[in-house]
Structure formats: structure tokens, C-alpha cells
Amino acid sequence: MAQAILDVKRSVHFCPVCFSYATGDLCEVCADPRRDRTSICVVSEPRDVSAIERTGAYRGLYHVLGGVISPMDKIGPEQLHVRELLSRLASGEVAEVILATNPDVEGETTATYLARTLHPLEVKVTRLALGLPVGGELEYADEVTLARAIEARRDA
Ligand SMILES: [Zn+2]
């Protein structure tokens, strides 16, 4: 019984690199040597990682912010994993950051903030293409729409 509880605790936690769900030391994506380490897709929640993974259209890494900027809820960049994103970019290995927050007000605010913050760095910053339903959530977008939004991403 005690062991079972321990196993559950050990089984799901946040990946220390990208803050997605992980069952091992790292999440499946970070631990996979075949993933393209030159691109990072920034999402707000771990469930967005699952939504994008389902499309099969993306082979890079992820970074989960753990929320979105929301002045109404007193959530600013300090409450999100923005600092950790910046330290991942410091290695210079990453060539592109794809902003894949939801196409709603908070998601857009967060993407705009990140685009501005990342602008001075030598990294290409892109945003998912329109075509996602405005006000909708990534995780409910169908796979074809989401795959197209990734492929047709534009400069942020
Ligand atoms: Zn990870």
C-alpha cells in the first residue's frame, strides 16, 4: 500500500526541463534523443503538449509556462516559467521559439509579452498561424487544424 502511494507520487510529476508531465526523470519528449533540439514550442499547459503531439506535425521540444499572463488574476510573467525558458535559450542551441498559447486574450497577451522579451535574443520567434478558432483552446482544435497552424506559423 505504502509502496503503491510512493509509485503514484513517483509516476507523475513535472519535467524539470520543460515542466510538462513526466513519469521518468525527464518527460518523454525531453528524454527522446530523436527530437529536434533547435526548436522549442511554448505552451501554457501540459495538456497543450498532448494536443500538439497528437498532430504528429512537430518534432521539436516544448516549454510549458504553467499558465498565462492574466492581470485580472494577478498572474504576471514572474508566476510563469519564463525565467526557465530564458535560461534554456542561453545555451544558444535553440534557433526557433514557437509561441503556441491559446488564441484568446490572455494567450495573445502572453505571446506578445514573450515575443517582446525574446526579441533581443538571437532566436527566431514564431506564432501559430491563424486558422485556430479565436477564443478557442488549443486542446480542442482538431488535429488537422492544429497541424496546419504549426506548419503555417508566422513571425511573431
Ligand atoms: Zn520535458
Side-chain angles (χ1 to χ4, degrees), residues 14-22 25-31 61-64 88:
F14 291 108
C15 173
V17 175
C18 71
F19 303 96
S20 184
Y21 293 133
D25 288 341
L26 297 173
C27 71
E28 273 177 38
V29 174
C30 289
L61 304 176
Y62 293 94
H63 190 84
V64 179
R88 288 179 75 183

Side-chain angles (χ1 to χ4, degrees), residues 69 77 82 86 89 110-121 125:
I69 295 172
V82 173
L86 295 174
L89 297 178
T110 307
T112 304
Y113 169 82
L114 288 174
R116 213 184 303 136
T117 306
L118 301 180
H119 188 71
L121 307 177
V125 182

Side-chain angles (χ1 to χ4, degrees), residues 93-106:
E93 200 185 1
V94 179
E96 181 180 9
V97 173
I98 303 164
L99 303 173
T101 46
N102 286 331
D104 55 17
V105 176
E106 284 95 356

Side-chain angles (χ1 to χ4, degrees), residues 1-61:
M1 180 63 191
Q3 189 57 46
I5 293 170
L6 267 178
D7 286 346
V8 169
K9 265 198 168 163
R10 201 179 302 139
S11 64
V12 179
H13 54 266
F14 291 108
C15 173
V17 175
C18 71
F19 303 96
S20 184
Y21 293 133
T23 47
D25 288 341
L26 297 173
C27 71
E28 273 177 38
V29 174
C30 289
D32 185 347
R34 289 163 303 179
R35 303 295 295 218
D36 174 7
R37 283 168 200 278
T38 65
S39 90
I40 293 182
C41 182
V42 179
V43 296
S44 63
E45 304 289 345
R47 59 174 182 262
D48 299 325
V49 172
S50 318
I52 294 173
E53 282 299 284
R54 276 198 301 272
T55 68
Y58 180 67
R59 296 299 306 155
L61 304 176

